[in-house]
Amino acid sequence: MFKGSGVALVTPFNEDLTVNYKKMEELVDYHCENKTDALIILGTTGESSTLDDEEKEKIVKVVIEKNQKRLPIIVGAGSNDTKHAIELSKKYEQLGADGLLLVTPYYNKGNEDGIYKHYVSIADFVNIPIILYNVPGRTGVNLSVSLLKRLAKHKNIVGLKEASGDISYAAEVAREVPELLMYSGNDDITVPLMSLGAVGTISVLANIEPAVTHNIVECYLNGDVIESRRLQLKYNGLVKALFV
């Protein structure tokens, strides 16, 4: 997939609440020019829950066309409706997505077998890599370590965006399921997760500080832990302000 800072790209809107596709193109150029390592579109920060399918498809087309293969593009295709998630995933693959981000099915709060079948059903229908998205604070469901071990056996399930905020859980995942590439889903603990083996972040902060977010990860991966930690602590105040 990618190592480094993947921006959880915002979806800009016009005053009349239509998507501002021109600004979206500008954001793609901005991130290509400012050290971002991957574009993650149609995630939580990208307003995926409030966009209709037509808007989503056009956003994917616009971003892929503007990007011109400069950066990997990972598209959020998650849903609590398995059939809908399969349809979206197939469409985004056909449009040229490099990978998919699939949030844990929400609201229904499925059991382990149900969630396993949900994810594997999607993974069976595509031929591009999948990053699972664990965010129990929003979905009401936490992906257990035993479930992740089962899911990681599928050839297309390669990563985990870990946004539980639970360091102990992340450590257990890193120990028990090392084959899954871990990405921090919380900007304030990117460095702690990298100390456990995470290879990068899917970042909200990168929308406004792309170079800094890239440097936090790059410095750590290059062995300059002190500088990485300094940047993490320096910008945690800004991270906190973003989520107030």
Side-chain angles (χ1 to χ4, degrees), residues 147-203:
L147 177 54
L148 289 175
K149 290 174 75 171
R150 293 172 65 193
L151 290 170
K153 294 177 182 178
H154 196 290
K155 64 182 178 64
N156 291 333
I157 298 176
V158 304
L160 174 70
K161 178 183 177 183
E162 175 22 36
S164 72
D166 185 339
I167 297 293
S168 295
Y169 166 82
E172 190 69 3
V173 171
R175 184 172 72 89
E176 293 287 340
V177 204
E179 60 268 38
L180 280 182
L181 298 170
M182 187 184 295
Y183 299 93
S184 174
N186 297 87
D187 278 300
D188 57 344
I189 55 173
T190 296
V191 169
L193 285 193
M194 285 196 297
S195 75
L196 298 172
V199 297
T201 181
I202 296 177
S203 169

Side-chain angles (χ1 to χ4, degrees), residues 11 54 61 97 121 135 139 144-145 147 175 211 213 217:
T11 296
E54 184 178 346
K61 289 179 178 177
S121 295
V135 57
T139 64
S144 72
V145 175
L147 177 54
R175 184 172 72 89
T213 311
V217 179

Side-chain angles (χ1 to χ4, degrees), residues 1 9 27 38 40 54 60 83 121-122 161 181 195 202 207 219 229 239:
M1 293 297 289
L9 192 65
L27 289 175
I40 291 81
E54 184 178 346
V60 174
K83 181 181 177 181
S121 295
I122 301 167
K161 178 183 177 183
L181 298 170
S195 75
I202 296 177
N207 280 285
C219 286
R229 182 179 63 198
V239 170

Side-chain angles (χ1 to χ4, degrees), residues 82-127:
T82 305
K83 181 181 177 181
H84 190 215
I86 290 171
E87 291 170 352
L88 293 176
S89 298
K90 290 169 63 179
K91 181 177 291 293
Y92 299 154
E93 179 182 14
Q94 291 166 0
L95 292 174
D98 297 299
L100 301 169
L101 179 69
L102 298 178
V103 70
T104 311
Y106 43 84
Y107 187 76
N108 305 76
K109 299 182 74 171
N111 59 30
E112 287 209 359
D113 281 342
I115 296 172
Y116 174 80
K117 290 174 182 176
H118 170 85
Y119 274 129
V120 169
S121 295
I122 301 167
D124 282 344
F125 273 95
V126 297
N127 295 292

Side-chain angles (χ1 to χ4, degrees), residues 17-89:
L17 301 184
T18 57
V19 176
N20 188 333
Y21 297 104
K22 183 177 184 299
K23 181 60 68 175
M24 179 70 79
E25 290 180 333
E26 292 174 8
L27 289 175
V28 172
D29 280 338
Y30 172 72
H31 284 285
C32 288
E33 295 163 3
N34 284 277
K35 292 189 172 183
T36 291
D37 299 294
L39 301 172
I40 291 81
I41 61 175
L42 300 184
T44 306
T45 308
E47 305 284 352
S48 60
S49 61
T50 60
L51 295 164
D52 62 36
D53 287 357
E54 184 178 346
E55 290 171 320
K56 290 178 180 180
E57 182 175 344
K58 185 168 181 180
I59 287 170
V60 174
K61 289 179 178 177
V62 166
V63 170
I64 289 175
E65 175 63 26
K66 187 63 176 178
N67 180 57
Q68 291 292 301
K69 299 187 180 297
R70 288 177 287 177
L71 297 175
I73 295 176
I74 297 155
V75 183
S79 172
N80 62 338
D81 175 348
T82 305
K83 181 181 177 181
H84 190 215
I86 290 171
E87 291 170 352
L88 293 176
S89 298

